[in-house]
């Protein structure tokens, strides 16, 4: 019975799970409230705590910019995702949040920064739920022959849905309009169920809708270990 | 009382147990060896004195602002095979291109090896050439199974690079192509190919010295 209900959509589980967890007093939601980070050197009102966080963000970005490698920026002040190289924006996307409200965005921001004011985390996991299948069409077959490269390798995976995950179960869920083929229905269900449960235990998940062209870049550029800098929510 | 306790607590304990087991077995193990040593060494202590702190914050803001190009720059997105002429917030040109295939070629005789990647990093447009000729490198002959010519003139081809080429260093160019149907696919030997119309627009917009960001 329990397993049957687990196999249904994750959303249905939310009610009972909350109940059980509340009764059993095992829930420890939320984290310590973090200060915002919009203080600048010219602001009239001075907030030392906010200034320290802002200083950390700036110092971290300066360090990241010195390396000749791209890094991801989660700009939660402007709801923007960016890929930067040497401090310059090379890709950006104005986030269209899906099933995510401001409080969840704030929770995501607070959890990312944590009590030790961590503003950079590497991507630890990238999970592809579904993507378009690769087909060897006639042009690619010709190119493949000339380049001695399998036609499938000449094509890009166009993701329907994927997730980027950082330590402490911080998840960015990206969905596109593409209708793809699931990588593994069973694993996808397990991941969804786990995250539905984890969401009630304080884990942070932000869901973003994205056009496929943007998603291709983000999916391919987000390699495991890619440093991710956050501009926390004010 | 005992019955109530039994019928309430046992299912709760059972459910919690199932949850704990489920969450444990579905937990992913983080990959090993990922560190952010760079960031760990960042000095992040802001002076407690407001005046000094403002100054320090201001210096950091200025240092970061200095990194951003004042003029528009070119971005080549090798992941999506797109090229942009843009500033931080505006895009003036967004076009499909072709970048390096990433394939490998080994000369069976000399064992020389080539990997056909478009280089990543930050470069500058060094020159603009009208009606460019391609000087075929050795790998072109090895790839096609032809003998490497001794005469320099046998290497020259004036029909494949389109109307313009813009060099960005180490023999890499942004240039045109006669294979426009292949735009959007990673098929080049490292150069960046553009369609004729987009190439004309880009060449017109781009002065020598423009920064080129490739990722």
């Amino acid at each position: 019975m329990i397993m049957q209900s687990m196999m249904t959509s994750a959303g249905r589980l939310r009610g009972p799970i909350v109940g059980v967890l509340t009764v059993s007093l095992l829930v420890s939601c939320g984290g310590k409230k973090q200060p915002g980070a919009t203080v600048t050197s010219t602001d009239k009102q001075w907030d030392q705590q906010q200034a320290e966080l802002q200083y950390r963000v700036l110092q971290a970005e300066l360090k990241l910019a010195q390396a000749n490698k791209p890094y991801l920026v989660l700009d939660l002040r402007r709801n923007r995702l960016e890929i930067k190289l040497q401090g310059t924006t090379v890709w950006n996307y104005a986030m269209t949040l899906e099933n995510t409200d401001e409080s969840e965005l704030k929770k995501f921001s607070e959890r990312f920064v944590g009590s030790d004011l961590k503003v950079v985390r590497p991507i630890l996991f990238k999970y592809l739920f579904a993507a378009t299948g690769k087909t060897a069409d006639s042009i690619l077959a010709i190119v493949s022959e000339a380049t001695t490269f399998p036609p499938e390798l000449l094509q890009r995976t166009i993701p329907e849905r994927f997730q980027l995950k950082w330590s402490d179960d911080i998840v960015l869920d990206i969905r596109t309009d593409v209708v793809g083929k699931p990588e593994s229905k069973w694993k996808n269900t397990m991941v969804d169920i786990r995250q539905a449960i984890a969401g009630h235990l304080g884990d942070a998940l932000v869901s973003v809708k994205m056009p496929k062209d943007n998603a291709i870049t983000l999916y391919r550029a987000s390699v495991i270990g890619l440093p991710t800098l956050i501009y926390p929510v004010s | 009382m005992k019955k109530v306790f039994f019928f309430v607590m046992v299912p709760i304990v059972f459910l919690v147990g199932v949850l704990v087991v489920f969450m444990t077995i579905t937990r992913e193990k983080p990959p090993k060896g990922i560190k952010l040593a760079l960031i760990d060494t960042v000095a992040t202590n802001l002076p407690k004195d407001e005046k000094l702190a403002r100054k320090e914050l201001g210096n950091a803001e200025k240092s970061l602002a200095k990194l951003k190009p004042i003029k528009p720059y070119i971005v080549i997105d090798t992941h999506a095979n797109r090229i942009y002429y843009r500033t931080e917030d505006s895009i003036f040109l967004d076009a499909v291109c072709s970048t390096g295939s990433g394939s490998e070629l080994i000369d069976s005789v000399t064992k020389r090896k080539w990997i056909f990647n478009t280089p990543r990093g930050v470069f500058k447009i060094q020159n603009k050439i009208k009606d460019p000729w391609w000087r075929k490198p050795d790998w072109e002959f090895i790839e096609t199974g032809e003998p490497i010519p001794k005469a320099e003139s046998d290497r020259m081809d004036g029909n494949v690079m389109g109307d313009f080429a813009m060099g960005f260093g180490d023999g890499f160019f942004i240039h045109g192509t006669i294979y426009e149907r292949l735009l959007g696919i990673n098929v080049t030997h490292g150069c960046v190919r553009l369609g004729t119309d987009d190439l004309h627009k880009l060449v017109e917009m781009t002065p020598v010295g423009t920064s080129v960001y490739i990722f």
Side-chain angles (χ1 to χ4, degrees), chain A residues 75-94:
Chain A
D75 184 352
L76 302 185
R77 296 174 202 159
R78 294 193 293 167
N79 276 4
R80 231 166 96 118
L81 289 173
E82 293 184 326
I83 295 171
K84 288 188 169 188
L85 185 58
Q86 291 191 6
T88 300
T89 306
V90 291
W91 176 91
N92 62 279
Y93 175 68

Side-chain angles (χ1 to χ4, degrees), chain A residues 25-72:
Chain A
L25 297 173
L26 282 175
V27 180
S28 61
C29 293
K32 196 182 164 188
K33 196 180 176 186
Q34 290 304 323
T38 51
V39 167
T40 65
S41 57
T42 51
D43 277 353
K44 280 182 185 169
Q45 222 171 11
W46 185 253
D47 181 330
Q48 181 72 20
Q49 215 181 355
Q50 284 190 13
E52 272 171 20
L53 181 57
Q54 175 64 3
Y55 187 63
R56 256 174 196 268
V57 172
L58 290 168
Q59 289 293 317
E61 180 147 20
L62 279 168
K63 206 80 182 174
L64 286 170
Q66 280 169 14
N68 197 18
K69 287 182 177 172
Y71 56 96
L72 181 65

